[in-house]
């Protein structure tokens, strides 16, 4: 049986390739291979694809393999007409998609993945393109975070949806869809290497060494998707890194875990120590996913320095009482301690910075300005993220219960770029722009007021 896996387009007002790889889809590929499928991949978001440059000018890498996606302007969905910004489809052009589909030829089944819920127009357009190419003959299975989080909405695509993160439920769906017997012996899919072999070229490699998170932040869905936290045995992590770094000859290695520092003595430290031993200091490592400041110790910091970590993002989010109210994953003193440890081993603002989230429900302008001031005074770099209420989080449930959201909003309206234009219970667009400007000024040495 021949299967095609597709990483769909992103449609939004802005998007940037900050080490985005469809890891879930690559695990599905590894799983399908075990079931005996012949596999093909079209990643519409792989800026480093060898064939892509024949079809479009791909912006050069900005730093460490990251960069801007090629894009075309597309019509704004009606529900976004009031937003005074251009709406774009990011990723490979249609001509590339068509060329690759022709090249791959007839397949028995197509799998399309998804991530952020408010990017659904890009997923829907990808599915529409596939339907136009294959007609109704080839079944399409649609999975990923958007489908899991909003299954009823995803059903509107009229394809087969897979709203689960347990791949061992796939054989049953495949039997129904393909009308064949599929081996349903459970497979521990997380122990499989993500199927990077399906790419012809990559600009960086992304890995997850754990799934889940033991913390329970009110704005985050990670702890609701996965039950607790699970660790991939460190030997397997090392095997994957060695195998794929050699195969793709990349310089940048990215860990995208939600909670990589948990139980570090028996997990992350072992990985780092082995990487040091194996001479991986000549590569560049990145932790873009907001690590836990309170779990950093001197040994981790020294190992990361030895291994040439270039990006260490600390999850800070806000100053003020919301630190505790949203779950208490970090308080000021944790950040100070982490920053001092990291500085002591030689890291600077260039490598280490904290995420500050703007527009958390109940957050004041003062909370954000205090967070900026705090980082600046402690010599920690910072970057501003805009909050979005994710369906199913504690925050979202509170907003519904408090009458501040109805729960029936079009998912696209919860895009953090769009929210300040219509949501009267949060910060408006002018306030957000003011805070971003304030952050820029403070970074450049301006005053805190
Ligand atoms: S924000 Fe981070 S620490 Fe909090 S639940 Fe999500 S992944 Fe865990």
């Amino acid at each position: 049986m021949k299967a095609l896996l597709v990483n769909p387009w992103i449609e939004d007002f802005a998007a940037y390739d900050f080490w985005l790889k469809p890891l879930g889809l690559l695990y599905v590929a590894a799983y399908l291979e075990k079931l005996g499928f012949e596999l093909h991949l079209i990643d519409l978001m792989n800026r480093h694809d060898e064939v892509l440059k024949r079809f479009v000018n791909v912006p050069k890498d900005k730093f460490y393999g990251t960069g801007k996606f090629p894009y075309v302007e597309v019509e704004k969905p009606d529900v976004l007409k009031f937003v005074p910004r251009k709406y774009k489809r990011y990723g490979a052009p249609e001509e590339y998609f068509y060329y690759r589909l022709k090249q791959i030829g007839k397949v028995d089944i197509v799998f399309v993945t998804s991530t952020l819920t408010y990017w659904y127009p890009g997923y829907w357009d990808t599915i529409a393109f596939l339907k136009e190419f294959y007609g109704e003959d080839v079944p399409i299975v649609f999975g990923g975070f958007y489908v899991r989080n909003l299954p009823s909405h995803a059903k509107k695509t009229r394809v087969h949806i897979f709203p689960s993160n347990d791949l061992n439920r796939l054989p049953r769906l495949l039997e129904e869809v393909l009308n064949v017997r599929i081996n349903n012996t459970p497979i521990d899919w997380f122990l499989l290497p993500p199927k990077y072999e399906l790419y012809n070229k990559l600009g960086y490699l992304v890995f997850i060494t754990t799934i889940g998170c033991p913390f329970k932040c009110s704005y985050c869905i990670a702890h609701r998707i996965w039950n607790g936290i699970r660790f991939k045995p460190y030997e397997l992590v090392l095997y994957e890194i060695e195998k794929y770094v050699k195969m793709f000859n990349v310089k940048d290695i990215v860990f995208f875990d939600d909670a990589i520092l948990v139980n570090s003595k028996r997990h992350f430290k072992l990985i780092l120590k082995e990487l040091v031993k194996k001479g991986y200091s000549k590569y560049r490592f990145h932790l873009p996913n907001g690590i836990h400041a309170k779990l950093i110790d001197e040994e981790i910091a020294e190992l990361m320095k030895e291994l040439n970590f270039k990006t260490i993002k600390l999850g800070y989010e806000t100053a003020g009482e919301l630190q505790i109210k949203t779950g208490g994953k970090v308080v000021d003193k944790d950040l100070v301690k982490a920053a001092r440890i990291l500085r002591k081993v030689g890291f600077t603002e260039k490598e280490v910075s904290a995420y500050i989230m703007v527009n958390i429900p109940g957050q004041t302008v003062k909370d954000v300005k205090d967070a900026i001031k705090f980082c600046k005074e402690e010599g920690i770099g910072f970057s501003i993220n805009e909050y979005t209420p994710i369906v199913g989080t504690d925050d979202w449930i509170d907003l519904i219960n408090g009458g501040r959201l109805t729960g029936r909003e079009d998912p696209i309206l919860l895009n953090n770029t769009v929210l300040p234009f219509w949501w009267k219970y949060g910060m408006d667009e002018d306030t957000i722009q003011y805070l971003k400007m304030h952050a820029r000024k403070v970074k450049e040495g301006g005053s805190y007021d």
Side-chain angles (χ1 to χ4, degrees):
M1 288 252 158
K2 193 167 161 184
L4 168 65
L5 299 111
V6 179
N7 188 28
W9 285 307
I10 291 174
E11 291 180 14
D12 200 340
F13 297 100
Y16 185 83
D17 181 11
F18 231 120
W19 301 303
L20 299 183
K21 278 287 155 279
L23 268 183
L25 191 68
L26 300 181
Y27 275 104
V28 170
Y31 187 91
L32 291 173
E33 188 181 46
K34 288 274 171 211
L35 298 182
F37 280 80
E38 176 192 326
L39 303 170
H40 298 269
L41 171 73
I42 300 180
D43 183 347
L44 294 171
M45 305 310 294
N46 182 21
R47 297 168 36 252
H48 298 95
D49 185 281
E50 279 291 6
V51 183
L52 181 63
K53 50 190 178 227
R54 280 198 239 149
F55 293 86
V56 68
N57 271 333
V58 183
K60 286 210 176 87
D61 283 356
K62 286 245 181 189
F63 55 89
Y64 307 141
T66 72
K68 290 183 176 173
F69 290 113
Y71 68 86
V72 285
E73 196 178 329
V74 290
E75 203 182 324
K76 257 181 263 180
D78 285 346
V79 67
L80 291 182
K81 289 281 192 248
F82 66 97
V83 182
R85 300 263 164 92
K86 287 182 177 160
Y87 198 65
K88 296 162 196 162
R89 174 190 293 162
Y90 294 91
E94 292 187 359
E95 295 75 15
Y96 167 92
F97 198 3
Y98 184 74
Y99 170 83
R100 291 295 321 279
L101 288 170
K102 287 272 281 184
Q103 196 187 37
I104 291 164
K106 177 106 178 64
V107 296
D108 298 292
I109 189 162
V110 180
F111 293 82
V112 179
T113 190
S114 63
T115 53
L116 303 182
T117 52
Y118 54 75
W119 281 345
Y120 79 82
Y123 316 146
W124 285 24
D125 280 352
T126 304
I127 288 173
F129 197 91
L130 287 163
K131 280 185 174 174
E132 201 176 314
F133 184 84
Y134 289 118
E136 292 295 325
D137 298 345
V138 179
I140 297 175
V141 175
F142 190 18
F145 178 73
Y146 155 70
V147 177
R148 216 158 51 220
N149 199 239
L150 299 174
S152 314
H153 196 270
K155 265 187 196 155
K156 293 183 192 171
T157 53
R158 296 172 190 276
V159 294
H160 303 277
I161 64 159
F162 183 68
S164 171
N165 54 9
D166 178 6
L167 297 190
N168 285 310
R169 293 189 181 186
L170 255 184
R172 198 155 155 227
L173 175 69
L174 296 179
E175 283 189 347
E176 267 170 46
V177 170
L178 294 169
N179 206 15
V180 291
R181 281 277 302 137
I182 303 273
N183 181 358
N184 62 1
T185 313
I187 297 170
D188 196 346
W189 59 267
F190 185 50
L191 301 186
L192 304 173
K195 193 97 193 100
Y196 274 117
E197 290 91 338
L198 296 174
Y199 285 93
N200 56 33
K201 191 170 176 215
L202 287 166
Y204 50 82
L205 280 161
V206 179
F207 297 98
I208 44 167
T209 75
T210 57
I211 40 177
C213 176
F215 293 84
K216 292 187 166 46
C217 302
S218 60
Y219 43 78
C220 179
I221 195 78
H223 60 97
R224 290 195 186 270
I225 298 181
W226 306 103
N227 199 4
I229 181 165
R230 198 175 158 209
F231 301 87
K232 186 174 273 208
Y234 80 96
E235 301 91 338
L236 292 183
V237 175
L238 290 162
Y239 168 76
E240 289 174 12
I241 294 174
E242 285 189 271
K243 174 178 172 177
Y244 291 128
V245 165
K246 202 162 153 204
M247 190 176 285
F248 290 101
N249 196 23
V250 296
K251 276 229 137 323
D252 293 283
I253 301 165
V254 184
F255 294 112
F256 239 102
D257 303 52
D258 284 323
I260 202 164
L261 298 188
V262 170
N263 197 18
S264 66
K265 200 169 148 209
R266 298 180 58 200
H267 184 67
F268 195 45
K269 282 184 189 172
L270 298 182
I271 296 170
L272 297 180
K273 281 178 192 165
E274 283 301 313
L275 288 171
V276 170
K277 263 196 231 154
K278 288 173 188 282
Y280 273 71
S281 302
K282 59 178 187 270
Y283 295 95
R284 299 180 297 226
F285 288 85
H286 308 279
L287 286 171
N289 220 7
I291 56 170
H292 294 95
K294 67 169 79 166
L295 299 180
I296 291 179
D297 63 25
E298 290 198 10
E299 192 181 9
I300 292 177
E302 274 161 13
L303 286 164
M304 290 200 297
K305 188 65 193 160
E306 209 171 335
L307 267 174
N308 202 17
F309 271 67
K310 290 291 184 198
T311 311
I312 301 172
K313 294 283 186 185
L314 302 166
Y316 176 46
E317 322 307 357
T318 184
E321 60 180 19
L322 279 179
Q323 283 179 354
I324 298 297
K325 279 192 179 163
T326 56
K329 77 169 176 191
V330 60
V331 291
D332 289 354
K333 69 172 174 25
D334 301 324
L335 197 73
V336 172
K337 190 182 125 226
R340 288 180 187 167
I341 291 173
L342 290 166
R343 247 199 325 266
K344 194 171 150 204
V345 301
F347 284 115
T348 66
E349 267 187 59
K350 215 173 142 225
E351 295 96 16
V352 181
S353 64
Y355 284 127
I356 296 175
M357 196 146 57
V358 176
N359 210 7
I360 304 172
Q363 190 185 38
T364 62
V365 168
K366 183 173 180 308
D367 289 337
V368 179
K369 288 174 94 175
D370 284 352
I372 291 170
K373 183 176 178 197
F374 181 75
C375 288
K376 184 70 184 173
E377 283 180 351
E378 281 300 326
I380 307 164
F382 51 88
S383 45
I384 302 285
N385 276 339
E386 287 173 62
Y387 170 85
T388 184
I390 300 170
V391 172
T393 55
D394 291 350
D395 274 3
W396 181 82
I397 293 166
D398 285 349
L399 292 170
I400 301 280
N401 289 340
R404 287 175 287 164
L405 284 176
T406 64
R408 293 185 300 278
E409 286 81 11
D410 189 309
I412 215 172
L413 289 174
L414 301 183
N415 183 335
N416 49 13
T417 313
V418 177
L419 207 61
F421 286 99
W422 68 273
W423 195 48
K424 58 179 194 274
Y425 299 103
M427 293 177 189
D428 62 18
E429 176 62 6
D430 288 346
T431 310
I432 302 262
Q433 288 311 326
Y434 161 74
L435 286 170
K436 284 184 175 172
M437 179 75 79
H438 175 73
R440 265 197 299 276
K441 275 194 198 148
V442 172
K443 262 188 194 172
E444 287 158 11
S447 95
Y448 300 132
D449 303 318

